[in-house]
Amino acid sequence: GQQVMQIPQYQHVQEGEDFTTYCNSSTTLSNIQWYKQRPGGHPVFLIQLVKSGEVKKQKRLTFQFGEAKKNSSLHITATQTTDVGTYFCAGPRAQKLVFGQGTRLTINP
Amino acid sequence: SAVISQKPSRDICQRGTSLTIQCQVDSQVTMMFWYRQQPGQSLTLIATANQGSEATYESGFVIDKFPISRPNLTFSTLTVSNMSPEDSSIYLCSVDRLAENIQYFGAGTRLSVL
């Protein structure tokens, strides 16, 4: 069945450093979504990418969708302590979502 | 987005008992989902709660263990039955409000089974 792989599983950075997480699907996706879960919190929708090669920005966050619509990345520029949490990508399967394993970001202030 | 109220927020239960988790949405939604999240892990879909019909369960999850109700388009319950310590986890409900495949989550129920 459809699988969504995400790397790295963990990333620890110094505050101010950049951070990137990568997502790969075993099948072509109609769209890909990113969610953020703060420690002790619940997943919160960040963004949806639909078009091949699409790039979207939210302040210091840059999201990309690959040309083949099978991979995606999330890049955070100059991390801040508020960026701490686990970032999940998710791809649709029928009317459900398949979530990646998540990348847990910790930051040393 | 959608306002989702999930309760209880946490509970500590004894082995062999059952717990019912409630999920209330501020508007009518077609799709409601129940997930389990082990500490430090990703989200595992338990089932899709369908209004007016039985829930659709994912592989590895059965109705006898996780009965689900969906009496209307704004409410659903998940029961964790005959609990064991292995059921200790976070349980999350979510909705796909506009049928866009975008999901909005409740705050979760943190369950510990002793």
Side-chain angles (χ1 to χ4, degrees), chain A residues 3-11 19-26 32-37 46 63 70-75 85-91 98-105, chain B residues 41-43:
Chain A
Q3 291 186 330
V4 177
M5 309 299 292
Q6 196 173 345
I7 57 170
Q9 188 174 2
Y10 302 99
Q11 185 77 59
F19 159 78
T20 304
T21 174
Y22 301 91
C23 184
N24 287 284
S25 170
S26 57
I32 195 156
Q33 302 167 30
W34 287 90
Y35 293 77
K36 177 183 179 180
Q37 185 174 23
L46 292 177
F63 303 84
K70 295 181 71 173
N71 58 75
S72 181
S73 66
L74 159 60
H75 179 82
T86 302
Y87 294 85
F88 293 97
C89 62
V98 177
F99 284 85
Q101 300 95 321
T103 296
R104 182 180 174 189
L105 173 63
Chain B
Q41 301 296 314
S42 186
L43 298 131

Side-chain angles (χ1 to χ4, degrees), chain B residues 49-66:
Chain B
N50 307 305
Q51 194 271 333
S53 64
E54 282 194 0
T56 305
Y57 288 83
E58 298 298 305
S59 175
F61 297 96
V62 295
I63 188 171
D64 289 346
K65 176 66 176 178
F66 298 100

Side-chain angles (χ1 to χ4, degrees), chain B residues 22-38:
Chain B
Q22 299 180 4
C23 186
Q24 177 77 52
V25 191
D26 67 337
S27 60
Q28 294 184 343
V29 294
T30 303
M31 308 295 291
M32 292 184 77
F33 306 90
W34 288 99
Y35 289 86
R36 183 171 71 185
Q37 187 177 31
Q38 307 279 18

Side-chain angles (χ1 to χ4, degrees), chain B residues 11-107:
Chain B
D11 208 341
I12 301 173
C13 300
Q14 295 297 320
R15 178 196 302 261
T17 63
S18 298
L19 175 71
T20 295
I21 302 168
Q22 299 180 4
C23 186
Q24 177 77 52
V25 191
D26 67 337
S27 60
Q28 294 184 343
V29 294
T30 303
M31 308 295 291
M32 292 184 77
F33 306 90
W34 288 99
Y35 289 86
R36 183 171 71 185
Q37 187 177 31
Q38 307 279 18
Q41 301 296 314
S42 186
L43 298 131
T44 301
L45 182 64
I46 297 172
T48 303
N50 307 305
Q51 194 271 333
S53 64
E54 282 194 0
T56 305
Y57 288 83
E58 298 298 305
S59 175
F61 297 96
V62 295
I63 188 171
D64 289 346
K65 176 66 176 178
F66 298 100
I68 287 172
S69 78
R70 182 84 196 271
N72 56 55
L73 291 173
T74 63
F75 186 78
S76 178
T77 67
L78 169 75
T79 299
V80 186
S81 303
N82 189 24
M83 288 183 287
S84 66
E86 291 72 34
D87 295 318
S88 297
S89 190
I90 298 170
Y91 293 85
L92 295 146
C93 69
S94 75
V95 304
D96 179 358
R97 186 177 183 186
L98 299 175
E100 296 175 321
N101 271 150
I102 297 171
Q103 293 192 12
Y104 300 94
F105 287 83

Side-chain angles (χ1 to χ4, degrees), chain A:
Chain A
Q2 178 187 10
Q3 291 186 330
V4 177
M5 309 299 292
Q6 196 173 345
I7 57 170
Q9 188 174 2
Y10 302 99
Q11 185 77 59
H12 180 75
V13 301
Q14 290 289 128
E15 187 175 14
E17 292 182 340
D18 292 356
F19 159 78
T20 304
T21 174
Y22 301 91
C23 184
N24 287 284
S25 170
S26 57
T27 60
T28 301
L29 301 170
S30 59
N31 69 79
I32 195 156
Q33 302 167 30
W34 287 90
Y35 293 77
K36 177 183 179 180
Q37 185 174 23
R38 295 181 184 273
H42 58 279
V44 174
F45 171 75
L46 292 177
I47 206 161
Q48 182 185 58
L49 304 170
V50 179
K51 299 177 182 177
S52 169
E54 188 170 15
V55 177
K56 286 188 175 180
K57 291 190 175 184
Q58 290 180 350
K59 297 183 181 179
R60 294 177 294 102
L61 278 62
T62 302
F63 303 84
Q64 291 187 318
F65 199 12
E67 294 290 341
K69 301 183 75 171
K70 295 181 71 173
N71 58 75
S72 181
S73 66
L74 159 60
H75 179 82
I76 302 178
T77 303
T79 54
Q80 300 176 359
T81 54
T82 53
D83 296 325
V84 164
T86 302
Y87 294 85
F88 293 97
C89 62
R93 183 184 68 192
Q95 293 173 304
K96 299 176 284 189
L97 284 179
V98 177
F99 284 85
Q101 300 95 321
T103 296
R104 182 180 174 189
L105 173 63
T106 55
I107 298 174
N108 201 22

